[in-house]
PDB file of all heavy atoms in Angstrom:
ATOM      1  N   ALA Z  87       6.278  34.729 -10.162  1.00 94.00           N
ATOM      2  CA  ALA Z  87       6.724  34.531  -8.843  1.00 94.00           C
ATOM      3  C   ALA Z  87       5.746  33.567  -8.038  1.00 94.00           C
ATOM      4  O   ALA Z  87       6.244  32.772  -7.276  1.00 94.00           O
ATOM      5  CB  ALA Z  87       6.802  35.843  -8.087  1.00 94.00           C
ATOM      6  N   LYS Z  88       4.506  33.747  -8.299  1.00 95.00           N
ATOM      7  CA  LYS Z  88       3.492  32.930  -7.626  1.00 95.00           C
ATOM      8  C   LYS Z  88       3.685  31.493  -8.059  1.00 95.00           C
ATOM      9  O   LYS Z  88       3.687  30.569  -7.233  1.00 95.00           O
ATOM     10  CB  LYS Z  88       2.149  33.376  -7.970  1.00 95.00           C
ATOM     11  CG  LYS Z  88       0.962  32.603  -7.359  1.00 95.00           C
ATOM     12  CD  LYS Z  88      -0.377  33.173  -7.790  1.00 95.00           C
ATOM     13  CE  LYS Z  88      -1.438  32.186  -7.558  1.00 95.00           C
ATOM     14  NZ  LYS Z  88      -2.726  32.482  -8.199  1.00 95.00           N
ATOM     15  N   GLU Z  89       3.838  31.217  -9.379  1.00 93.00           N
ATOM     16  CA  GLU Z  89       4.071  29.901  -9.907  1.00 93.00           C
ATOM     17  C   GLU Z  89       5.309  29.286  -9.256  1.00 93.00           C
ATOM     18  O   GLU Z  89       5.320  28.100  -8.906  1.00 93.00           O
ATOM     19  CB  GLU Z  89       4.173  29.858 -11.451  1.00 93.00           C
ATOM     20  CG  GLU Z  89       2.853  30.048 -12.186  1.00 93.00           C
ATOM     21  CD  GLU Z  89       2.032  28.790 -12.088  1.00 93.00           C
ATOM     22  OE1 GLU Z  89       2.547  27.683 -12.012  1.00 93.00           O
ATOM     23  OE2 GLU Z  89       0.815  28.946 -12.042  1.00 93.00           O
ATOM     24  N   GLU Z  90       6.390  30.066  -9.244  1.00 94.00           N
ATOM     25  CA  GLU Z  90       7.657  29.523  -8.710  1.00 94.00           C
ATOM     26  C   GLU Z  90       7.468  29.229  -7.179  1.00 94.00           C
ATOM     27  O   GLU Z  90       8.028  28.181  -6.736  1.00 94.00           O
ATOM     28  CB  GLU Z  90       8.761  30.555  -8.900  1.00 94.00           C
ATOM     29  CG  GLU Z  90       9.165  30.629 -10.405  1.00 94.00           C
ATOM     30  CD  GLU Z  90      10.263  31.659 -10.678  1.00 94.00           C
ATOM     31  OE1 GLU Z  90      10.475  32.549  -9.810  1.00 94.00           O
ATOM     32  OE2 GLU Z  90      10.853  31.633 -11.712  1.00 94.00           O
ATOM     33  N   ALA Z  91       6.752  30.073  -6.462  1.00 95.00           N
ATOM     34  CA  ALA Z  91       6.615  29.755  -5.033  1.00 95.00           C
ATOM     35  C   ALA Z  91       5.698  28.533  -4.837  1.00 95.00           C
ATOM     36  O   ALA Z  91       6.001  27.660  -4.000  1.00 95.00           O
ATOM     37  CB  ALA Z  91       5.887  30.992  -4.306  1.00 95.00           C
ATOM     38  N   GLU Z  92       4.632  28.325  -5.687  1.00 94.00           N
ATOM     39  CA  GLU Z  92       3.839  27.149  -5.649  1.00 94.00           C
ATOM     40  C   GLU Z  92       4.676  25.849  -5.863  1.00 94.00           C
ATOM     41  O   GLU Z  92       4.549  24.887  -5.297  1.00 94.00           O
ATOM     42  CB  GLU Z  92       2.642  27.215  -6.468  1.00 94.00           C
ATOM     43  CG  GLU Z  92       1.583  28.205  -6.029  1.00 94.00           C
ATOM     44  CD  GLU Z  92       0.436  28.423  -6.971  1.00 94.00           C
ATOM     45  OE1 GLU Z  92       0.481  27.836  -8.109  1.00 94.00           O
ATOM     46  OE2 GLU Z  92      -0.460  29.183  -6.657  1.00 94.00           O
ATOM     47  N   GLU Z  93       5.511  25.959  -6.946  1.00 94.00           N
ATOM     48  CA  GLU Z  93       6.351  24.899  -7.339  1.00 94.00           C
ATOM     49  C   GLU Z  93       7.298  24.478  -6.246  1.00 94.00           C
ATOM     50  O   GLU Z  93       7.538  23.360  -5.886  1.00 94.00           O
ATOM     51  CB  GLU Z  93       7.160  25.193  -8.591  1.00 94.00           C
ATOM     52  CG  GLU Z  93       8.199  24.200  -9.020  1.00 94.00           C
ATOM     53  CD  GLU Z  93       7.634  22.839  -9.360  1.00 94.00           C
ATOM     54  OE1 GLU Z  93       6.414  22.641  -9.577  1.00 94.00           O
ATOM     55  OE2 GLU Z  93       8.385  21.844  -9.421  1.00 94.00           O
ATOM     56  N   ALA Z  94       7.908  25.497  -5.569  1.00 95.00           N
ATOM     57  CA  ALA Z  94       8.926  25.274  -4.424  1.00 95.00           C
ATOM     58  C   ALA Z  94       8.106  24.575  -3.302  1.00 95.00           C
ATOM     59  O   ALA Z  94       8.631  23.646  -2.686  1.00 95.00           O
ATOM     60  CB  ALA Z  94       9.477  26.597  -4.070  1.00 95.00           C
ATOM     61  N   ASP Z  95       6.895  25.115  -2.954  1.00 95.00           N
ATOM     62  CA  ASP Z  95       6.165  24.476  -1.925  1.00 95.00           C
ATOM     63  C   ASP Z  95       5.755  23.060  -2.217  1.00 95.00           C
ATOM     64  O   ASP Z  95       5.855  22.219  -1.325  1.00 95.00           O
ATOM     65  CB  ASP Z  95       4.852  25.310  -1.628  1.00 95.00           C
ATOM     66  CG  ASP Z  95       5.127  26.616  -0.985  1.00 95.00           C
ATOM     67  OD1 ASP Z  95       6.286  26.855  -0.503  1.00 95.00           O
ATOM     68  OD2 ASP Z  95       4.164  27.495  -0.969  1.00 95.00           O
ATOM     69  N   ALA Z  96       5.367  22.841  -3.519  1.00 94.00           N
ATOM     70  CA  ALA Z  96       5.005  21.477  -3.882  1.00 94.00           C
ATOM     71  C   ALA Z  96       6.160  20.507  -3.838  1.00 94.00           C
ATOM     72  O   ALA Z  96       6.059  19.405  -3.323  1.00 94.00           O
ATOM     73  CB  ALA Z  96       4.323  21.480  -5.280  1.00 94.00           C
ATOM     74  N   GLU Z  97       7.306  21.026  -4.266  1.00 94.00           N
ATOM     75  CA  GLU Z  97       8.490  20.184  -4.233  1.00 94.00           C
ATOM     76  C   GLU Z  97       8.915  19.872  -2.828  1.00 94.00           C
ATOM     77  O   GLU Z  97       9.283  18.806  -2.489  1.00 94.00           O
ATOM     78  CB  GLU Z  97       9.729  20.903  -4.985  1.00 94.00           C
ATOM     79  CG  GLU Z  97      10.990  20.197  -4.965  1.00 94.00           C
ATOM     80  CD  GLU Z  97      11.017  18.816  -5.749  1.00 94.00           C
ATOM     81  OE1 GLU Z  97      10.160  18.652  -6.576  1.00 94.00           O
ATOM     82  OE2 GLU Z  97      11.857  17.982  -5.423  1.00 94.00           O
ATOM     83  N   SER Z  98       8.816  20.884  -1.929  1.00 95.00           N
ATOM     84  CA  SER Z  98       9.189  20.706  -0.573  1.00 95.00           C
ATOM     85  C   SER Z  98       8.236  19.717   0.127  1.00 95.00           C
ATOM     86  O   SER Z  98       8.733  18.779   0.867  1.00 95.00           O
ATOM     87  CB  SER Z  98       9.121  22.072   0.228  1.00 95.00           C
ATOM     88  OG  SER Z  98       9.196  21.919   1.553  1.00 95.00           O
ATOM     89  N   GLN Z  99       6.966  19.828  -0.122  1.00 94.00           N
ATOM     90  CA  GLN Z  99       6.033  18.904   0.425  1.00 94.00           C
ATOM     91  C   GLN Z  99       6.257  17.464  -0.072  1.00 94.00           C
ATOM     92  O   GLN Z  99       6.147  16.479   0.626  1.00 94.00           O
ATOM     93  CB  GLN Z  99       4.573  19.308   0.151  1.00 94.00           C
ATOM     94  CG  GLN Z  99       3.499  18.476   0.657  1.00 94.00           C
ATOM     95  CD  GLN Z  99       3.429  18.484   2.165  1.00 94.00           C
ATOM     96  OE1 GLN Z  99       3.875  19.466   2.811  1.00 94.00           O
ATOM     97  NE2 GLN Z  99       2.860  17.460   2.830  1.00 94.00           N
ATOM     98  N   TYR Z 100       6.505  17.347  -1.376  1.00 94.00           N
ATOM     99  CA  TYR Z 100       6.754  16.092  -1.971  1.00 94.00           C
ATOM    100  C   TYR Z 100       8.036  15.349  -1.405  1.00 94.00           C
ATOM    101  O   TYR Z 100       7.958  14.272  -1.022  1.00 94.00           O
ATOM    102  CB  TYR Z 100       6.978  16.233  -3.529  1.00 94.00           C
ATOM    103  CG  TYR Z 100       7.480  15.033  -4.185  1.00 94.00           C
ATOM    104  CD1 TYR Z 100       6.637  13.939  -4.468  1.00 94.00           C
ATOM    105  CD2 TYR Z 100       8.860  14.906  -4.557  1.00 94.00           C
ATOM    106  CE1 TYR Z 100       7.040  12.820  -5.102  1.00 94.00           C
ATOM    107  CE2 TYR Z 100       9.265  13.768  -5.247  1.00 94.00           C
ATOM    108  CZ  TYR Z 100       8.489  12.776  -5.500  1.00 94.00           C
ATOM    109  OH  TYR Z 100       8.954  11.659  -6.097  1.00 94.00           O
ATOM    110  N   GLN Z 101       9.110  16.203  -1.207  1.00 94.00           N
ATOM    111  CA  GLN Z 101      10.262  15.701  -0.572  1.00 94.00           C
ATOM    112  C   GLN Z 101      10.058  15.177   0.862  1.00 94.00           C
ATOM    113  O   GLN Z 101      10.491  14.161   1.267  1.00 94.00           O
ATOM    114  CB  GLN Z 101      11.447  16.677  -0.702  1.00 94.00           C
ATOM    115  CG  GLN Z 101      11.973  16.984  -2.028  1.00 94.00           C
ATOM    116  CD  GLN Z 101      12.535  15.776  -2.765  1.00 94.00           C
ATOM    117  OE1 GLN Z 101      12.987  14.862  -2.136  1.00 94.00           O
ATOM    118  NE2 GLN Z 101      12.383  15.756  -4.083  1.00 94.00           N
ATOM    119  N   LYS Z 102       9.290  16.016   1.593  1.00 95.00           N
ATOM    120  CA  LYS Z 102       8.957  15.656   3.023  1.00 95.00           C
ATOM    121  C   LYS Z 102       8.246  14.329   3.053  1.00 95.00           C
ATOM    122  O   LYS Z 102       8.579  13.481   3.834  1.00 95.00           O
ATOM    123  CB  LYS Z 102       8.148  16.749   3.515  1.00 95.00           C
ATOM    124  CG  LYS Z 102       7.737  16.586   5.025  1.00 95.00           C
ATOM    125  CD  LYS Z 102       6.898  17.762   5.559  1.00 95.00           C
ATOM    126  CE  LYS Z 102       6.314  17.410   6.900  1.00 95.00           C
ATOM    127  NZ  LYS Z 102       5.334  18.414   7.303  1.00 95.00           N
TER     128      LYS Z 102
END
Side-chain angles (χ1 to χ4, degrees):
K88 180 181 163 193
E89 283 289 327
E90 288 175 346
E92 287 175 358
E93 172 65 14
D95 289 346
E97 178 66 22
S98 171
Q99 182 66 21
Y100 170 76
Q101 292 299 332
K102 179 182 171 191

